[in-house]
Amino acid sequence: MRTTACPRDFAARMLRPEGFTLSITRRSFVQRGSLAAMAMAVGRGSAQKPVPKFRTEFNVNSLVQFVDPLPIPEIAKASGLRANPMDGSAKIPYFRMAMRQFETKIHRDLKPTRLWGYGGASPGPTFETRGGQGLLVEWANDLPAAHFLPIDHSIHGAEPDKPEVRTVVHLHGGKTPPASDGYPEDWYPPGKSKIYHYPNNQEAAMLWYHDHALGINRLNVFAGLLGVFIVRDEFEDALELPRDKYEIPLVFYDRAFDLDGQLNYPVSGDPKNPWTPEVFCDGTLVNGKLFPFLDVEPRKYRFRLLNGANARFFHLTLSNSLAFQQIGTDQGLLPAPVALTHVSLAPAERADVILDFSGNRGEKIILKNDNRNVMQFRVAESGARDTSALPKTLRPVPRIAESAAVRTRSLTLVEIDDLAQRPVMMLLNNTHWSMTVTESPVLDSTEIWELLNTTDDAHPIHLHLVRFQILDRRAFDVATYWTKGQMKFIGPVVAPEPGEMGWKDTVRADPGMVTRIVARFEGFTGRYVWHCHILEHEDNEMMRPFDVVAK
Ligand SMILES: [Cu+2]
């Protein structure tokens, strides 16, 4: 069923330069994650360029599970001190982090896999810093000149005249000046580097860094360009949460492999347009390994969970129904712990959780995503005394009053399909990346952004620079909205989930819902971006610049 109705000026805008007529449609047929379908039509080639192919897929589920220990990324080491760009009399740590190609074993029984990673590792080294402790990172592109994943040259920013390999780093969740924020057009090719300044004037939180190059971001991240960045502060220290070897990041993402153990990025089957709307793979990696295990003591642990997948949403449970005590979200601690039997994470979302294994001596507990095994915890019979705490209250998160907002913006999430109902691109507010900036919040002002999701899919929407709070979600009649331009609510106002009641930088905008967030645009003036964090969407127009302007 297609419902194609849209305002006239919108229809006009939907004409692609080559005259390809597009329509807004509802997608009902997509079997999400069917690699077989994606692999079905491997296209005919041109003589000059190799045609992107989805090769025969290795069945990850044929592997023996829980034979590799969970890797824990090493801590990034500074190589000296340099002048603080915002205060020349002060020195701050300087890091040099090179992006390199390397090979590693994803599983004991898989051949080594070629990856790209910061510091020659994926995930890259974990940065450890403190609120207000700025640092400098020289991000050096030491990658090869040719990409090993299928570039779609019809996508904006990835035209054939651009270098195949281009990178730029974004610190996700960082309150970062615009020149260091990793603007998608600020990419640079192999042999170049840029020094970015992260002032880190923000509360304790788990941030992460990853590639953000226009038009190929999904491929660069899939190749391995991501890592964890932890900000700490005195408030959090005083809570006596589990720390040191009892605090472990768990970075989840899915990957597919060919029979040689190499990354197998799905393609559409059309050699001119290999882009696919979402990538779902059968292998779930944790910190870069398939089916790892972790030896733990019978005590409390703090796990910093990150969904680093291109498109997959994770729904994590434990085989013995042990509760996750969620203590934090994207931008730091919750007001109080929330006991959960399952944790849901959209791409780019984080959850800070405590697991208490003290009642599970000698047990083997499996962490699952839906019904699939992901990793195993092996609880020892004994361990050191646990002096850590799980406080009843954590950090106050004062709610921003709606009345504080000086402006409310209604912003649509739109999927554009071709006449065969295949998604062609995704848009924010019906505007393309390269169109004039339409969102220009004033520095230190508060705004409400209403995200009107007219598509059939959930989209995790991320704003750079700012932290925000989720106000609510409410179902609306999408057809009425497109045909009459009227907002007709068809469901009750739904409050944020208990685990969403902290500061966020990424919000799940559910299909057919208006999701409202409120943010104060503080920190810096300048140009930033907001986008869907399904990387296939972000790369194909579901990203827009915004300007924070002076008062
Ligand atoms: Cu999206």
Side-chain angles (χ1 to χ4, degrees):
M1 269 292 289
R2 195 186 315 148
T3 55
T4 51
C6 54
R8 240 168 299 150
D9 63 333
F10 175 55
R13 268 194 252 156
M14 291 305 100
L15 283 172
R16 274 186 137 187
E18 62 270 40
F20 181 15
T21 310
L22 303 169
S23 54
I24 303 168
T25 72
R26 293 174 64 84
R27 180 157 42 120
S28 54
F29 68 95
V30 177
Q31 168 39 274
R32 319 268 309 246
S34 167
L35 292 177
M38 295 172 184
M40 195 172 61
V42 173
R44 305 148 299 279
S46 76
Q48 291 80 23
K49 275 212 140 195
V51 170
K53 284 183 187 166
F54 186 78
R55 303 177 295 280
T56 305
E57 190 187 355
F58 174 76
N59 179 8
V60 165
N61 293 306
S62 66
L63 290 168
V64 187
Q65 299 182 357
F66 317 131
V67 293
D68 292 294
L70 176 82
I72 297 174
E74 57 180 60
I75 305 299
K77 290 180 195 68
S79 51
L81 295 170
R82 288 201 181 180
N84 181 346
M86 289 176 175
D87 172 8
S89 63
K91 298 236 165 152
I92 55 176
Y94 159 82
F95 297 74
R96 188 174 192 280
M97 193 61 72
M99 305 160 214
R100 290 201 296 269
Q101 179 166 296
F102 65 101
E103 286 197 337
T104 190
K105 280 179 75 82
I106 303 286
H107 182 278
R108 183 193 70 186
D109 300 333
L110 265 185
K111 290 178 190 166
T113 303
R114 169 177 51 182
L115 294 177
W116 290 356
Y118 299 101
S122 182
T126 298
F127 285 86
E128 281 274 358
T129 190
R130 300 186 65 82
Q133 169 63 66
L135 53 88
L136 296 161
V137 185
E138 179 170 6
W139 300 105
N141 182 345
D142 289 351
L143 294 167
H147 215 298
F148 71 100
L149 295 175
I151 295 175
D152 186 329
H153 292 290
S154 71
I155 285 182
H156 76 283
E159 295 80 7
D161 64 336
K162 304 282 194 312
E164 271 196 21
V165 176
R166 303 174 279 117
T167 61
V168 59
V169 183
H170 170 58
L171 176 59
H172 182 122
K175 195 171 172 184
T176 305
S180 294
D181 194 54
Y183 193 69
E185 292 176 356
D186 289 348
W187 51 261
Y188 45 98
K192 303 273 188 209
S193 72
K194 273 192 186 169
I195 299 178
Y196 276 3
H197 175 218
Y198 302 110
N200 304 317
N201 284 316
Q202 55 194 103
E203 290 179 359
M206 178 200 204
L207 317 182
W208 63 300
Y209 60 98
H210 61 79
D211 189 74
H212 220 305
L214 193 69
I216 54 169
N217 172 36
R218 69 197 184 288
L219 306 175
N220 289 350
V221 173
F222 198 86
L225 291 171
L226 75 170
V228 171
F229 190 111
I230 306 271
V231 180
R232 303 188 184 278
D233 62 19
E234 282 174 17
F235 188 99
E236 188 189 277
D237 293 346
L239 295 176
E240 303 289 349
L241 297 164
R243 61 176 63 154
D244 303 322
K245 67 175 179 175
Y246 304 113
E247 181 190 11
I248 297 173
L250 298 177
V251 183
F252 301 93
Y253 43 88
D254 55 334
R255 296 289 184 268
F257 301 88
D258 67 12
L259 298 178
D260 290 322
Q262 299 309 306
L263 290 184
N264 209 2
Y265 185 92
V267 288
S268 68
D270 173 355
K272 283 194 188 138
N273 303 92
W275 176 83
T276 64
E278 295 99 16
V279 161
F280 301 100
C281 306
D282 68 346
T284 298
L285 280 65
V286 192
N287 295 354
K289 282 279 183 203
L290 277 166
F291 305 117
F293 69 86
L294 178 67
D295 287 317
V296 294
E297 296 173 25
R299 55 160 288 150
K300 291 188 289 300
Y301 278 75
R302 181 183 187 188
F303 292 104
R304 317 294 297 262
L305 314 182
L306 160 65
N307 181 346
N310 279 33
R312 183 176 290 283
F313 289 57
F314 287 100
H315 309 101
L316 303 170
T317 56
L318 291 159
S319 56
N320 65 347
S321 303
L322 182 67
F324 298 89
Q325 294 286 343
Q326 187 181 349
I327 59 167
T329 181
D330 304 341
Q331 284 282 319
L333 294 164
L334 286 164
V338 178
L340 297 169
T341 53
H342 92 270
V343 171
S344 287
L345 287 175
E349 282 190 310
R350 284 89 76 204
D352 194 348
V353 300
I354 302 287
L355 290 183
D356 186 350
F357 299 115
S358 59
N360 306 100
R361 288 166 198 272
E363 284 183 36
K364 289 180 176 163
I365 302 168
I366 296 172
L367 178 73
K368 291 169 168 275
N369 177 40
D370 295 325
N371 57 358
R372 292 180 183 195
N373 291 352
V374 172
M375 69 172 286
Q376 184 188 54
F377 298 103
R378 297 176 181 172
V379 188
E381 291 288 352
S382 61
R385 199 167 68 89
D386 184 0
T387 56
S388 69
L390 175 56
K392 289 203 166 49
T393 59
L394 298 162
R395 185 168 214 153
V397 180
R399 301 295 293 172
I400 304 176
E402 284 186 42
S403 57
V406 296
R407 177 154 186 177
T408 297
R409 298 178 193 270
S410 286
L411 303 158
T412 51
L413 316 184
V414 179
E415 175 180 310
I416 308 297
D417 290 0
D418 66 12
L419 295 175
Q421 292 198 334
R422 288 174 303 217
V424 174
M425 67 175 73
M426 317 281 165
L427 297 176
L428 294 172
N429 217 26
N430 300 333
T431 42
H432 291 245
W433 165 255
S434 56
M435 292 168 77
T436 311
V437 172
T438 42
E439 277 59 61
S440 300
V442 175
L443 184 67
D444 293 331
S445 74
T446 298
E447 295 196 356
I448 292 171
W449 286 25
E450 300 178 336
L451 307 168
L452 280 57
N453 186 348
T454 70
T455 79
D456 289 349
D457 298 314
H459 300 268
I461 300 297
H462 170 46
L463 274 63
H464 287 208
L465 178 66
V466 294
R467 60 180 189 172
F468 55 75
Q469 294 175 358
I470 302 173
L471 291 171
D472 49 41
R473 299 181 175 92
R474 194 171 188 187
F476 71 109
D477 188 311
V478 175
T480 300
Y481 179 77
W482 282 130
T483 51
K484 299 184 182 154
Q486 290 167 5
M487 175 53 64
K488 185 174 139 198
F489 289 111
I490 53 173
V493 173
V494 181
E497 291 157 20
E500 294 181 318
M501 290 299 282
W503 291 103
K504 297 278 292 170
D505 57 42
T506 305
V507 61
R508 203 186 66 244
D510 287 333
M513 304 278 275
V514 177
T515 299
R516 298 195 312 144
I517 60 172
V518 60
R520 189 170 142 92
F521 289 81
E522 55 190 10
F524 304 94
T525 57
R527 181 152 295 181
Y528 292 92
V529 300
W530 67 288
H531 60 89
C532 176
H533 224 289
I534 292 177
L535 301 183
E536 286 70 33
H537 296 184
E538 171 191 334
D539 262 348
N540 200 351
E541 298 286 356
M542 206 167 201
M543 176 164 68
R544 287 282 290 154
F546 72 88
D547 286 334
V548 179
V549 298
K551 284 181 253 193

